[in-house]
Amino acid sequence: MGGCFSKPKPVEVKVEVVLPEKEREKEEMSPNGKASPLAYKANGTTRLYHHEERPIVLNPYTNPKDVVEASVCHVKDLENGQMREVDLGCGKALLVKQNGEYYAMGHKCPHYGAPLVKGVLSKGRVRCPWHGACFNIATGDIEDFPGLDGLPKFQVKIEKERVYIRASKQALLSQRRTKVMAKCIALSNYSTAITNILIIGAGPAGLVCAETLRQEGFSDRIVMCTSEKNLPYDRSKLSKSMDSQAEQIFLRSKEFFHTYDIEVLTETQVVSVDTKNKIVMFKDGFRMEYNKLLIATGSTPKTLTCKGKELDNVITIRTPEDANKVVRLASSKNAVIVGASFLGMEVAAYLCEKAHSVSVVELENIPFKKFLGEKVGLAIMKMFENNRVKFYMQTEVSELREQEGKLKEVVLKSGKVLRADVCVIGIGASPTTGFLKQSGVALDSRGYIPVNKMMQTNIPGVFAAGDVVTFPLAFRNNKKMNVPHWQMAHMQGRIAALNMLAQGTEINTVPYLWTAMFGKSIRYAGHGEGFDDVIIQGDIDELKFVAFYTRNDEVIAVASMNYDPIVSKVAEIMASGKTIRKRDVETGDISWLTGKGS
């Protein structure tokens, strides 16, 4: 069995609380902003440490040379509900005023560096304008995803009606902060075949689950296993930045996993789960006992069924190595993309400047028609055609022809024959749950795992998260849905971890996704399944618009291009439990939505 780390020998456990090297301050808060006791296990004994009892944390500014203090504005310069990006000389900070109080923190979203001053401020948190991550303005903690780190927090003081910020230079430069985590400095008296927490899958759901457990003070053994050879990485970049090597898109470094004793077993495939005896069986014959289990195996790309589907240069993109191979084969050659999915269209866009020709084959008549509607789909299609992409719509592949063992032509059912040196299949994916068929874990007719709001399956102690689940989506009246978004997987992993610790936390987040093509981004929030109308404001031909997706009288989703931060604003309204009515967006005046909020 492969592995990132060697298997530990049974030894006595010792536990310490580790503070990130560059960030020694932390007001430990739960997601609702209330302090809660943390449990630490030492030599087999669990003790609850309240924050008043925790070891004293040193002043974060113990090195005077690492500190900068600057006057940034007059107290009257900022109204309640306003944000301002301020310069401290050696770096910038975000200054916020809400309910008469001032807060200062990092000004860039740690995810992709978006300027938070252009985001949405609402009820004690700021939401990123690009991808919807949310940060608590009092603590800097990340409260909704994507991303893994929070914001550094800075001290604010008022003197003679001037606002001063005191900050660490290092924090100003890094613009991110990893939460305090518990750590086992030696693993407990287990054999290598026993773990407390076993996580099957090393995507965002699995990683966030492991990190959340450590952040909440869990100090026993955590094992993650993945059939892939890489540590957890940013899979969303596989079709957007196809040249990236695996190491360039790792979500955490190898040192991070060592530091916090999160074991990662790579190239390790699970073949069955015995939930009665709490044992997982691996392909190589190894067996591991667990106490609690998270299933976060993601999805498997669908393949074609026609002749030639197994040729070497017919590729489904699942790993960085797959993406790299596509770029290599497509360079100055002919590329055919089967499926106008998000992955397929992102790949087509990326290859335009590298390939001799790029063709897209799609069964529907318009890309994204079912997801974004006809008008938006046509506008995107036109953008692609203006960038030399050729579409073959309302047809399928009937044969993949080879020459000397390699793909040379893609034959369509319409009779058209396309020259092809590489063919990328992007026709959707299926949940990777086949190994659960005899486990007792319930699966629906499509192979998804139904879970409740706490990410619990029908088996006690077994949780599931990410692309493999259907769950009650709160703002759609708790209808069980599959939402295979990067952001949602993060949140589901966190909720699963909290409920492994019996915190009784329910998921209540608004889906948020994005795609990038030809340097332009589409942002989307909500869940538009079953929409019956699309209300478009702005200029869709100029790709500067916002589209509201409605069902009956209610806005259930929104998409935009070049219209920030409206998607984040709508997401925040939906998250608050409020309903946006169709009549509210039909008038043409949506100025009430385009402001920064309060």
Side-chain angles (χ1 to χ4, degrees), residues 171-210:
L172 285 169
L173 290 173
S174 70
Q175 290 293 316
R176 65 178 62 238
R177 176 180 54 81
T178 303
K179 286 187 73 173
V180 176
M181 294 193 194
K183 173 194 173 185
C184 294
I185 59 174
L187 291 167
S188 59
N189 294 319
Y190 284 140
S191 74
T192 57
I194 301 176
T195 184
N196 196 313
I197 303 291
L198 178 59
I199 299 170
I200 308 176
L207 178 58
V208 171
C209 178

Side-chain angles (χ1 to χ4, degrees), residues 298-486:
S299 55
T300 301
K302 294 180 180 179
T303 59
L304 297 177
T305 57
C306 62
K307 181 181 177 182
K309 61 179 178 138
E310 296 174 353
L311 291 172
D312 184 58
N313 40 353
V314 177
I315 301 170
T316 56
I317 297 178
R318 178 65 183 169
T319 68
E321 292 75 25
D322 293 334
N324 297 164
K325 183 178 179 180
V326 169
V327 174
R328 188 169 63 251
L329 291 172
S331 181
S332 301
K333 299 291 180 65
N334 303 296
V336 174
I337 317 298
V338 180
S341 59
F342 280 102
L343 181 142
M345 295 289 274
E346 288 172 357
V347 169
Y350 190 83
L351 293 180
C352 271
E353 293 184 356
K354 299 179 182 296
H356 173 71
S357 69
V358 178
S359 303
V360 175
V361 179
E362 169 59 39
L363 190 58
E364 296 290 333
N365 64 327
I366 298 171
F368 304 128
K369 182 179 178 179
K370 292 181 179 179
F371 194 83
L372 295 174
E374 187 170 319
K375 291 182 179 180
V376 175
L378 282 172
I380 294 171
M381 187 173 178
K382 182 180 178 181
M383 177 177 71
F384 273 74
E385 289 174 331
N386 290 340
N387 283 276
R388 300 190 304 113
V389 176
K390 180 71 174 176
F391 286 93
Y392 298 88
M393 308 301 283
Q394 296 181 284
T395 188
E396 297 177 84
V397 176
S398 63
E399 183 184 354
L400 299 166
R401 290 179 181 166
E402 65 170 293
Q403 181 178 323
E404 298 179 354
K406 293 186 177 182
L407 175 71
K408 291 304 294 181
E409 293 176 334
V410 175
V411 182
L412 307 182
K413 287 187 176 179
S414 63
K416 184 71 176 178
V417 178
L418 309 178
R419 293 180 61 189
D421 298 288
V422 61
C423 180
V424 177
I425 311 302
I427 56 174
S430 302
T432 308
T433 54
F435 66 98
L436 295 171
K437 288 183 178 178
Q438 305 299 322
S439 67
V441 175
L443 302 176
D444 68 15
S445 60
R446 298 179 297 165
Y448 293 102
I449 306 170
V451 296
N452 62 16
K453 287 186 175 184
M454 295 187 285
M455 312 315 296
Q456 296 167 327
T457 70
N458 63 307
I459 304 293
V462 178
F463 299 77
D467 292 3
V468 296
V469 306
T470 60
F471 71 105
L473 187 57
F475 92 100
R476 290 295 302 271
N477 298 315
N478 293 316
K479 182 179 178 181
K480 283 214 168 179
M481 295 181 173
N482 173 250
V483 184
H485 302 341
W486 188 247

Side-chain angles (χ1 to χ4, degrees), residues 16 76 136 144 247 255 274 285 360 407 410 420 447 449 519 526 534:
E16 66 180 7
K76 294 182 179 179
N136 186 299
D144 205 340
E247 295 80 6
E255 290 70 29
D274 178 354
V360 175
L407 175 71
V410 175
I449 306 170
V534 185

Side-chain angles (χ1 to χ4, degrees), residues 23 25 27 61 70 72 78 82-86 88 92-98 101-107 116 126 136-141 151-157 163-168 171-172 175 177:
E23 181 63 39
E25 67 170 336
E27 294 177 78
Y61 307 125
V72 294
L78 219 58
Q82 287 187 334
M83 301 185 289
R84 175 180 290 189
E85 195 174 275
V86 294
L88 277 70
K92 295 181 179 180
L94 181 70
L95 181 64
V96 176
K97 186 177 182 182
Q98 194 163 60
E101 298 290 332
Y102 290 88
Y103 306 89
M105 65 215 73
H107 73 288
L116 292 175
V126 58
N136 186 299
I137 61 173
T139 66
D141 289 350
L151 299 172
K153 273 288 294 151
F154 308 129
Q155 295 177 356
V156 180
K157 67 176 182 179
V163 180
Y164 290 81
I165 295 177
R166 179 178 171 85
S168 156
L172 285 169
Q175 290 293 316
R177 176 180 54 81

Side-chain angles (χ1 to χ4, degrees), residues 198 200 225 268-276 278-290 293 295 297 433-441:
L198 178 59
I200 308 176
C225 60
T268 307
Q269 183 178 347
V270 174
V271 293
S272 65
V273 177
D274 178 354
T275 56
K276 184 177 180 179
K278 295 190 173 184
I279 297 174
V280 165
M281 278 69 75
F282 297 93
K283 188 175 182 180
D284 64 359
F286 187 73
R287 298 156 64 93
M288 182 172 285
E289 294 182 32
Y290 65 85
L293 177 69
I295 302 164
T297 42
T433 54
F435 66 98
L436 295 171
K437 288 183 178 178
Q438 305 299 322
S439 67
V441 175

